[in-house]
């Protein structure tokens, strides 16, 4: 039998700690604050645990779990609940004041400023476990992580340790009720990031067996140093009858996993580091040492679909972005010359571009890859040495940076910090490169610095930070064009080697920020393969994708509103001299779904082409407050093929996010694709007021009106975009 040990009201969420009276096992159940937890009837209750751990040598779970999951192992069964404490915390989530114990049966409302709930366990070997649940006042999400302390006299080998585990999904289901629970995930492949998929647990073969014996588990994740190469570290569980959504995201820049686990009627959702079976991770913890997992972001809400719970989670990063460079608060415009010079930047061609884009409203001009390339060597195999090309910049970068500044912009530069190209001298410096099984870890064109080495950190301080400081760069684009894969030598396991290396990589990024406090950092990993919350919390923005000139740009950009803040999503408008005015407006309107970055044939455009661009820039600046702080809803039929899209979409964004006061602004961005619509597109407007149209952007005059609580837009042609700014009356 289960009982509620303690409950915490954390804003509009309720955290219930539910204990099994027979085993003492403690579960964490999250609910909307207005939903009370009731111990529902279960024919075969299987107690779960809010800490999932597996130590080497301990028995795996039965029920045919081997190879499927490491959850509910003997390590979990040995846990002894020691007690619970709560502390107040500040807006940064840091503990303030003394801890106080939580007695059984307590219901506590979150403290002013927030609360840190610590739930403690131990086992007979001297191992201690502390699970932390953090709520900051005003937030609609929680942070979760677990710390393992080895208080024994011998080393302990961790093979799995969860950042979070949510049980009791769903407590409102009847015994053996089917067709109720859905899993929502977001897939990601190069240039098609962010595709959502939704499946009933029955379709995943996660309904309980007739005898309740065999484990049901869906484990998924990503292996390597591109944490969004396959799936985003994101999952949402939905109770379709009660209209409740549970969401989780993992803040980790290397291998991770999530699991939906089911043995009885209830399901559990857990995740964290990729474990030994999935990611070859084993961590040795010496006596007296403590190891803490990555942090997970959690939320729960009633209604609103996956958009609501997703934006509750992404809002967890709002404060970290607000603490960034002051210049970012207005969402300034960027020009990047890559799709203009294609890896052949020079002082001469940059000066030509500067003349074309001066006085257009750009704040940053970014010199992309190739500034270091030597004669006859392509840019994508030459990174690592980072000596300024004497041919491309005969008078050095000083003169080029000065030209950028003289044209009213700040200068940015590209680095692929962690990786080394096969034609660079550094490629042969194997003493400082990662290895696997004793051999240099090599992909088709690259090797990887061992970021854990002091020598490597010092080298990169000289070549990267030294270059930024010497020339006065205010912006750095950080690219990363391959993945380490399962891991590297130098630790207890390949997966731990990877984790340590990526931890050191992040430490270098933080070192850049310490040395150059106001620098703008762009998180770019083959476009969108590092769009996970930890990297996004450290950077001002990210390249949303590498789909720079594709028709599917608005589909990708709108889908990413579920996993990153639009104010951080840098979307390129690559303009070609052959582009029609309709095509230019389509490209420019894409950037209204995030941050505007321009590139392309800007030295060859006509006055008519520039007029469409100039009007788009002016529209973007007016839309910036809604892009910066808003709530997004996506409308339109499902687009089956992103490469060859048919139909239409409209993203409606209202000013004021899920955590901030609602304001009057509204942005609607319509895109039509190929056929399959009658040219009249309608989307509902929020019901909390009436709106009037303030401004419309398209290549030509557009027919847009508001009637009966809807925005109606006529787009008779394919591949056309119309953007609308409106305000409450």
């Amino acid at each position: 039998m289960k009982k509620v040990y303690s409950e915490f009201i954390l804003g509009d969420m309720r955290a219930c700690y539910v204990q099994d009276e027979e085993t003492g096992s403690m579960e964490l159940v999250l609910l909307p604050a207005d939903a009370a937890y009731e111990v529902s009837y279960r024919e075969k209750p299987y107690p779960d645990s809010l800490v999932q751990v597996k130590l080497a040598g301990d028995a795996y779970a039965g029920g045919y779990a081997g190879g499927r999951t490491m959850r509910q192992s003997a390590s979990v069964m040995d846990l002894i609940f020691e007690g619970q404490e709560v502390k107040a915390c500040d807006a940064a989530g840091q503990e303030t004041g003394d801890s106080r114990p939580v007695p059984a049966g307590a219901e506590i409302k979150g403290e002013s400023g927030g609360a840190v709930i610590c739930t403690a366990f131990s086992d007979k070997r001297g191992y201690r476990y502390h699970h932390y649940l953090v709520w900051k006042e005003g937030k609609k999400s929680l942070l979760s992580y677990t710390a393992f302390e080895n208080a024994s006299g011998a080393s302990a080998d961790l093979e799995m340790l969860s950042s979070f585990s949510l049980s009791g999904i769903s407590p409102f289901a009847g015994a053996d009720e089917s067709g109720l629970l859905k899993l929502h995930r977001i897939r990601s492949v190069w240039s098609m990031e962010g595709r959502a998929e939704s499946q009933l647990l029955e379709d995943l073969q996660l309904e309980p067996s007739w005898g309740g014996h065999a484990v049901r588990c869906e484990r998924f994740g990503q292996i390597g140093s591109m944490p969004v190469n396959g799936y985003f570290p994101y999952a949402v569980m939905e109770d379709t009858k009660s209209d409740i959504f549970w969401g989780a995201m993992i803040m980790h820049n290397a291998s991770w996993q999530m699991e939906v686990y089911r043995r009885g009627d209830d399901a559990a959702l857990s995740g964290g580091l990729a474990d030994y079976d999935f990611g070859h991770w084993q961590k040795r913890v010496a006596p007296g040492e403590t190891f803490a997992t990555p942090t997970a972001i959690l939320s729960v809400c009633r209604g609103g679909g996956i958009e609501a719970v997703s934006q509750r989670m992404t809002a967890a990063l709002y404060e970290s972005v607000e603490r960034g460079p002051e210049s970012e608060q207005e969402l300034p415009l960027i020009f990047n010359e890559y799709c203009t010079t294609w890896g052949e930047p020079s002082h001469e061609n940059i000066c030509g571009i500067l003349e074309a884009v001066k006085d257009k409203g750009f704040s940053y001009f970014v010199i992309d890859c190739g500034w270091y390339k030597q004669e006859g060597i392509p840019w994508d195999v030459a990174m690592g040495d980072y000596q300024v090309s004497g041919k491309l910049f005969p008078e050095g970068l000083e003169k080029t940076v000065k030209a950028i500044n003289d044209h009213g912009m700040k200068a940015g530069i590209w680095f692929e910090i962690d990786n080394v190209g096969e034609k660079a001298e550094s490629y042969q410096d194997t003493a400082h490169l990662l290895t696997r099984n004793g051999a240099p870890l090599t992909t088709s064109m690259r090797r990887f610095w061992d970021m854990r080495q002091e020598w490597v950190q010092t080298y990169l301080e000289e070549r990267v930070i030294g270059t930024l400081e010497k020339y006065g760069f205010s912006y750095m684009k950080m690219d990363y064009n391959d993945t380490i894969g399962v891991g590297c030598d130098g630790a207890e396991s390949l997966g731990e080697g990877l984790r340590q290396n990526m931890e050191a990589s992040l430490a270098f990024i933080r070192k850049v920020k310490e040395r150059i406090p106001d620098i703008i950092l762009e998180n770019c990993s083959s476009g969108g393969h590092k769009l996970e919350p930890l990297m996004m919390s450290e950077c001002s923005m990210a390249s949303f994708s590498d789909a720079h000139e594709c028709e599917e740009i608005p589909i990708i950009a709108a889908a990413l509103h579920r996993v990153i803040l639009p104010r951080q999503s840098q979307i390129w408008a690559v303009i070609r001299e052959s582009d029609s005015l309709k095509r230019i407006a389509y490209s420019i309107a894409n950037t209204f779904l995030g941050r505007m970055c321009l590139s392309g044939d800007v030295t060859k455009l006509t006055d008519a082409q520039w007029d469409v661009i100039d009007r788009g820039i002016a529209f973007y600046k007016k839309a910036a407050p809604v892009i910066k702080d808003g709530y997004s809803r996506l409308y339109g039929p499902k687009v089956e093929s992103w490469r060859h899209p048919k139909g239409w979409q409209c993203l409606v964004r209202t000013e004021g996010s899920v955590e901030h006061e609602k304001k009057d602004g509204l942005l609607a961005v319509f895109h039509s694709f190929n056929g399959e619509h009658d040219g009249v597109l309608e989307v509902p407007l929020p019901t909390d007021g009436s709106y009037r149209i303030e401004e419309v952007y398209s290549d030509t005059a557009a027919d847009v009106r508001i009637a009966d609580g809807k925005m109606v837009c006529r787009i008779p042609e394919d591949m056309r975009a119309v953007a609308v700014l409106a305000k409450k009356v």
Side-chain angles (χ1 to χ4, degrees), residues 40-57:
S40 55
Y41 172 77
R42 295 289 185 261
E43 184 179 350
K44 290 184 179 293
Y46 290 95
D48 205 60
S49 176
L50 65 87
V51 170
Q52 291 295 327
V53 59
K54 170 68 170 66
L55 287 141

Side-chain angles (χ1 to χ4, degrees), residues 242-516:
S242 299
D243 199 24
I244 294 178
F245 297 81
W246 293 264
M249 297 179 74
I250 300 172
M251 302 179 69
H252 188 51
N253 62 340
S255 299
W256 58 270
Q257 70 182 42
M258 288 199 191
E259 298 184 70
V260 181
Y261 179 95
R262 199 173 192 187
R263 197 165 183 182
D265 290 300
D266 286 340
L269 175 65
S270 61
L273 291 166
D275 62 29
Y276 186 80
D277 282 358
F278 191 67
H280 206 281
W281 181 76
Q282 185 181 76
K283 171 71 177 177
R284 178 158 294 169
V285 183
E289 288 185 344
T290 297
F291 175 79
T293 68
T295 297
I297 302 168
L298 308 176
S299 190
V300 62
C301 66
R302 190 192 304 275
I306 66 170
E307 275 76 17
V309 71
S310 297
Q311 290 174 82
R312 289 167 70 97
M313 291 190 289
T314 59
L317 301 188
Y318 196 89
E319 282 74 18
S320 65
V321 181
E322 283 285 286
R323 291 193 296 268
E326 181 63 30
S327 60
E328 274 292 277
Q329 301 313 310
E330 302 300 321
L331 309 194
L333 281 73
I334 304 108
F335 186 93
N336 185 301
E337 52 73 32
Y338 177 67
C339 290
T340 310
T341 72
W342 293 111
E344 289 278 345
S346 68
H347 179 75
E348 181 180 4
N349 62 31
I350 286 174
C351 286
I353 298 167
L354 290 170
E355 281 299 306
V357 302
K358 67 179 181 181
D359 303 324
K360 295 294 185 181
F362 295 100
S363 297
Y364 293 95
F365 185 102
V366 181
I367 303 171
D368 211 282
C369 56
W371 57 269
Y372 48 84
K373 68 189 293 291
Q374 304 304 308
E375 187 70 27
I377 300 176
W379 72 264
D380 59 349
V381 292
M383 76 291 296
D385 298 335
Y386 294 123
Q387 304 289 353
V388 178
S389 168
K391 180 180 179 182
L392 296 174
F393 300 94
E395 298 181 65
L397 281 175
E398 297 97 330
K399 188 174 182 181
T400 308
V401 171
K402 183 177 185 302
I404 293 169
N405 295 338
D406 288 347
H407 283 79
M409 289 170 274
K410 296 179 180 179
I413 194 166
W414 178 101
F415 278 97
E416 193 166 342
I417 297 169
D418 302 61
N419 303 347
V420 177
E422 64 184 1
K423 298 300 182 182
E425 292 181 12
S426 302
Y427 190 81
Q428 305 303 327
D429 189 4
T430 54
H432 302 302
L433 301 176
L434 292 180
T435 62
R436 185 183 297 161
N437 300 325
L441 206 168
T442 306
T443 65
S444 60
M445 296 189 296
R446 283 168 172 74
R447 288 175 175 168
F448 305 85
W449 289 118
D450 188 337
M451 300 296 288
R452 298 166 294 184
Q453 292 187 15
E454 185 178 349
W455 185 95
V456 171
Q457 292 277 328
T458 301
Y459 175 86
L460 292 174
E461 283 183 47
E462 174 196 334
R463 298 297 172 95
V464 177
I465 300 177
T467 299
L468 297 171
E469 291 178 328
K470 178 180 179 180
Y471 300 108
F473 285 106
S474 303
Y475 184 116
M476 179 169 65
K477 176 179 177 178
M478 303 180 294
D479 216 336
Y480 192 96
N481 285 298
D482 219 324
T483 175
I484 292 169
V486 70
C488 54
D489 296 336
E492 306 91 310
S493 60
L494 294 177
E496 174 62 8
L498 171 70
R499 189 198 67 80
Q500 290 177 5
N501 189 75
M502 300 315 294
E503 184 177 64
S505 176
L506 186 66
F508 182 80
I509 292 170
R510 289 169 174 163
K511 196 177 297 182
V512 172
K513 294 167 68 175
E514 289 171 5
R515 292 267 293 269
I516 312 170

Side-chain angles (χ1 to χ4, degrees), residues 21-324:
E21 292 184 300
E22 181 179 348
T23 66
S25 178
M26 185 73 74
E27 302 179 4
L28 173 59
V29 178
L30 291 185
L31 297 171
D34 61 359
Y37 179 84
E38 295 182 7
V39 179
S40 55
Y41 172 77
R42 295 289 185 261
E43 184 179 350
K44 290 184 179 293
Y46 290 95
D48 205 60
S49 176
L50 65 87
V51 170
Q52 291 295 327
V53 59
K54 170 68 170 66
L55 287 141
D58 288 355
Y60 292 84
Y64 318 117
R68 299 289 305 277
T69 181
M70 299 180 79
R71 293 179 94 259
Q72 294 295 98
S73 69
S75 307
V76 175
M77 299 300 109
D78 288 342
L79 294 179
I80 302 167
F81 173 63
E82 295 288 352
Q84 198 169 57
E85 295 181 329
V86 63
K87 273 188 180 181
C89 73
D90 59 22
Q94 299 300 310
E95 296 179 0
T96 59
D98 296 327
S99 294
R100 66 179 191 275
V102 178
E107 178 174 300
I108 299 174
K109 292 191 176 181
E111 308 280 338
S112 176
V116 178
I117 305 160
C118 177
T119 309
F121 303 85
S122 66
D123 66 22
K124 294 178 181 178
R125 293 170 289 191
Y127 303 148
R128 296 173 182 163
Y129 305 82
H130 292 88
H131 175 266
Y132 295 90
L133 192 67
V134 181
W135 173 70
K136 304 173 191 176
E137 187 176 18
K139 303 302 287 183
K140 296 191 176 180
S141 61
L142 307 166
L143 303 179
S144 172
Y145 64 96
T146 305
F148 170 84
E149 179 189 356
N150 184 358
S152 77
S155 294
D157 291 329
L158 286 170
E159 294 184 334
M160 180 185 73
L161 186 63
S162 62
S163 296
F164 75 97
S165 184
L166 298 179
S167 302
I169 301 174
S170 167
F172 309 110
D176 201 25
E177 188 169 358
S178 62
L180 184 74
L181 298 178
K182 276 186 178 180
L183 170 65
H184 303 276
R185 295 181 281 191
I186 295 183
R187 290 185 174 271
S188 180
V189 293
W190 183 78
S191 288
M192 288 186 185
E193 298 83 359
R195 185 174 183 122
E197 65 175 18
S198 303
Q199 294 165 289
L200 283 169
L201 295 201
E202 286 79 3
D203 290 331
L204 293 166
Q205 289 197 299
L206 291 175
E207 58 182 330
S209 65
W210 64 269
H213 171 52
V215 163
R216 307 300 199 226
C217 184
E218 175 77 1
R219 179 172 56 189
F220 65 98
Q222 186 285 137
I223 302 302
S225 50
M226 285 181 165
V228 185
N229 182 20
Y231 281 104
F232 276 80
Y234 163 107
V236 169
M237 294 283 290
E238 177 187 359
D239 178 338
T240 58
K241 185 170 81 171
S242 299
D243 199 24
I244 294 178
F245 297 81
W246 293 264
M249 297 179 74
I250 300 172
M251 302 179 69
H252 188 51
N253 62 340
S255 299
W256 58 270
Q257 70 182 42
M258 288 199 191
E259 298 184 70
V260 181
Y261 179 95
R262 199 173 192 187
R263 197 165 183 182
D265 290 300
D266 286 340
L269 175 65
S270 61
L273 291 166
D275 62 29
Y276 186 80
D277 282 358
F278 191 67
H280 206 281
W281 181 76
Q282 185 181 76
K283 171 71 177 177
R284 178 158 294 169
V285 183
E289 288 185 344
T290 297
F291 175 79
T293 68
T295 297
I297 302 168
L298 308 176
S299 190
V300 62
C301 66
R302 190 192 304 275
I306 66 170
E307 275 76 17
V309 71
S310 297
Q311 290 174 82
R312 289 167 70 97
M313 291 190 289
T314 59
L317 301 188
Y318 196 89
E319 282 74 18
S320 65
V321 181
E322 283 285 286
R323 291 193 296 268

